[in-house]
Amino acid sequence: MGTVAPRVESLASSGIKCIPKEYVRPQEELKSIGNVFEEEKKEGLQVPTIDLREIDSEDEVVRGKCREKLKKAAEEWGVMHLVNHGIPDELIERVKKAGETFFGLAVEEKEKYANDLESGKIQGYGSKLANNASGQLEWEDYFFHLAFPEDKRDLSFWPKKPADYIEVTSEYAKRLRGLATKILEALSIGLGLEGWRLEKEVGGMEELLLQLKINYYPICPQPELALGVEAHTDVSSLTFLLHNMVPGLQLFYEGQWVTAKCVPDSILMHIGDTIEILSNGKYKSILHRGLVNKEKVRISWAVFCEPPKEKIILQPLPELVTDTEPARFPPRTFAQHIHHKLFRKDQEGLPN
């Protein structure tokens, strides 16, 4: 087994006043990190909110208007708060309660689910290992597992406590998969393609994987020196995010960090690199990061909808490539895309 980074939760509860140097961001980056509660109050640019109530409307005009708003947000921001998304609020509350209950267990209890990245066991409980020469760490622990399709799950990795974790998380994943289909259909039509096209291109019902990552950001004694998650774009096709109504997410939009407000009963959705590539850059995968704070634990539930690693070649769809708009991305498998991003980050220390 490799060296285990201490759980950030244990570090946070040990009573330290100063965070270890591995968690302190580089000087250049520190300039842009502020108090998240102050940042959240700022007026100005706001992540768009998209009402999905009419996405399935019988009325073509009404439906078209809803899709147009979704398309515009995907083109301009690549991130949005979805409201009236059709997933029962009561189910979402139960999902959040289950995750909070698991993370409320003692660290020793959670360690029974510890992952082991070096042996390829990626599902389970973990903390980020230093992935490059800088040894930089992030102020979070997490729990990760594949949630859908059901035949690809391995329930042995899933929390046994609370008792309803499997039931509510499975139901939520199934509902999200249905929502993903609706979103992908609208985005397809927005590209001038047939409604089924994008879904097929990311693997369809059989191959698109829904990976759940519960992010747990403990209270941090020096929050303006650290990040919960460093700046990155998601590699997924779509990412759906819930949180416990504590702010933290920031988006890099038009050259500045914009803090996402907490919108009740919403699901935040990111367009990931996969859709950016297929759309030849028409839809955006936005750079984002997570701040931490010294008052409240933040928890978020991210579901990454990922194409299969090897089976599909990701490249701009031929219909979207013209002489005036050549392909902006080379053909790569999903695995190659991930590898390329890691390689670039090692090479250039880029956040992306």
Side-chain angles (χ1 to χ4, degrees):
M1 267 208 32
T3 53
V4 179
R7 302 304 173 200
V8 176
E9 180 184 349
S10 302
L11 208 50
S13 60
S14 70
I16 55 167
K17 297 282 181 281
C18 296
I19 63 175
K21 67 179 187 318
E22 294 80 17
Y23 294 92
V24 177
R25 308 306 302 185
Q27 193 55 44
E28 207 31 52
E29 196 172 25
L30 289 173
K31 296 177 190 163
S32 71
I33 302 176
N35 177 309
V36 70
F37 299 110
E38 299 303 318
E39 297 293 333
E40 191 199 16
K41 291 191 190 106
K42 288 184 178 168
E43 298 303 323
L45 290 168
Q46 302 297 334
V47 174
T49 295
I50 302 298
D51 187 338
L52 293 181
R53 189 187 298 278
E54 307 294 358
I55 198 160
D56 290 327
S57 168
E58 298 292 298
D59 183 327
E60 199 180 327
V61 176
V62 173
R63 193 171 66 233
K65 276 189 184 154
C66 176
R67 288 187 170 151
E68 194 55 41
K69 286 180 184 151
L70 175 66
K71 171 188 161 177
K72 191 164 169 282
E75 289 175 349
E76 290 182 15
W77 280 82
V79 63
M80 61 205 78
H81 301 284
L82 304 176
V83 295
N84 295 314
H85 43 68
I87 299 181
D89 295 332
E90 183 263 343
L91 174 61
I92 288 175
E93 285 314 307
R94 288 181 71 197
V95 167
K96 287 160 58 165
K97 187 85 192 101
E100 286 172 350
T101 302
F102 174 78
F103 269 97
L105 299 171
V107 171
E108 304 81 68
E109 187 69 19
K110 293 187 291 243
E111 287 293 358
K112 294 176 185 169
Y113 299 89
N115 64 17
D116 184 13
L117 300 180
E118 287 169 19
S119 70
K121 186 184 151 194
I122 61 169
Q123 299 192 79
Y125 175 61
S127 310
K128 187 183 164 185
L129 300 171
N131 67 351
N132 56 12
S134 72
Q136 181 83 62
L137 295 173
E138 295 161 319
W139 198 261
E140 75 154 344
D141 302 320
Y142 64 81
F143 199 97
F144 180 79
H145 65 77
L146 186 146
F148 193 90
E150 295 186 355
D151 62 348
K152 291 191 166 74
R153 304 178 308 181
D154 183 342
L155 295 176
S156 71
F157 288 111
W158 292 37
K160 318 263 179 294
K161 289 181 194 171
D164 67 347
Y165 180 92
I166 292 176
E167 182 200 340
V168 298
T169 306
S170 298
E171 179 62 24
Y172 175 62
K174 196 160 83 190
R175 299 282 193 130
L176 263 190
R177 186 62 187 84
L179 179 59
T181 292
K182 289 183 192 182
I183 299 283
L184 289 167
E185 181 179 5
L187 292 174
S188 264
I189 292 166
L191 293 170
L193 303 167
E194 297 196 54
W196 50 266
R197 183 66 182 280
L198 275 181
E199 167 132 5
K200 176 175 173 282
E201 297 287 349
V202 297
M205 224 27 165
E206 280 66 51
E207 298 292 339
L208 185 68
L209 305 176
L210 271 58
Q211 310 271 17
L212 170 64
K213 186 171 175 235
I214 307 177
N215 301 296
Y216 184 85
Y217 304 103
I219 284 171
C220 181
Q222 296 179 294
E224 288 167 47
L225 298 183
L227 286 175
V229 59
E230 63 189 18
H232 66 287
T233 61
D234 289 359
V235 293
S236 60
S237 60
L238 303 170
T239 302
F240 295 98
L241 192 85
L242 305 173
H243 56 77
N244 65 337
M245 296 299 279
V246 176
L249 177 66
Q250 291 193 316
L251 308 119
F252 196 65
Y253 184 77
E254 293 186 345
Q256 56 178 298
W257 287 106
V258 176
T259 304
K261 300 253 194 287
C262 296
V263 177
D265 301 328
S266 68
I267 299 176
L268 187 124
M269 185 184 80
H270 284 282
I271 303 288
D273 297 347
T274 295
I275 295 292
E276 182 175 66
I277 292 165
L278 291 169
S279 73
N280 201 24
K282 191 166 159 77
Y283 297 140
K284 301 289 183 288
S285 181
I286 195 170
L287 194 67
H288 55 285
R289 68 181 186 184
L291 300 192
V292 290
N293 74 81
K294 57 164 67 161
E295 295 167 44
K296 295 175 178 171
V297 169
R298 178 166 188 261
I299 309 177
S300 67
W301 288 256
V303 173
F304 304 99
C305 303
E306 300 189 344
K309 282 214 168 6
E310 309 289 353
K311 283 191 181 169
I312 290 172
I313 302 288
L314 292 180
Q315 59 188 333
L317 297 174
E319 296 91 327
L320 308 178
V321 177
T322 62
D323 291 344
T324 51
E325 296 200 39
R328 294 204 211 167
F329 306 92
R332 289 189 177 113
T333 63
F334 186 61
Q336 285 168 336
H337 173 69
I338 292 170
H339 183 80
H340 165 76
K341 283 183 88 166
L342 290 172
F343 175 74
R344 268 192 53 200
K345 186 169 175 239
D346 273 354
Q347 291 299 95
E348 309 165 38
L350 286 177
N352 199 359

